[in-house]
Amino acid sequence: MEELDGNGAAGRLSEVFALEMTGARGRCDTCGNVVALAEARAFLDAPGVVIRCRACESVLLVLVRGDDRYWLGVSGMTWLELR
Ligand SMILES: [Zn+2]
């Protein structure tokens, strides 16, 4: 499984979010770390996109694409700030 930074996931995330995702920030619900998604750890070849906290490795976000829909899990973040 290839690891990239969060910039690598921006293309797939932009399929769901019309806003620019590289500038999005989130707070890790596990450790409280606030980080730009572009700086988080991204794995694109998991069953979907998985973004993990760089500080504690917790899963922040999961995005799975099906034939005609997406499933988005953000339970690992206290909040997500989009600009
Ligand atoms: Zn964390």
Side-chain angles (χ1 to χ4, degrees), residues 15-80:
E15 295 172 10
V16 175
F17 294 103
L19 299 169
E20 177 59 48
M21 291 304 294
T22 56
R25 297 185 326 143
R27 181 185 185 273
C28 175
D29 201 42
T30 301
C31 74
N33 184 42
V34 175
V35 65
L37 292 190
E39 297 170 0
R41 301 178 68 208
F43 300 89
L44 305 184
D45 297 327
V49 171
V50 175
I51 296 181
R52 290 183 172 271
C53 176
R54 277 206 182 274
C56 75
E57 303 295 323
S58 293
V59 173
L60 299 174
L61 180 152
V62 176
L63 175 66
V64 176
R65 179 173 55 191
D67 290 337
D68 62 349
R69 68 195 70 195
Y70 293 89
W71 290 269
L72 176 65
V74 292
S75 63
M77 285 188 280
T78 307
W79 49 258
L80 175 63

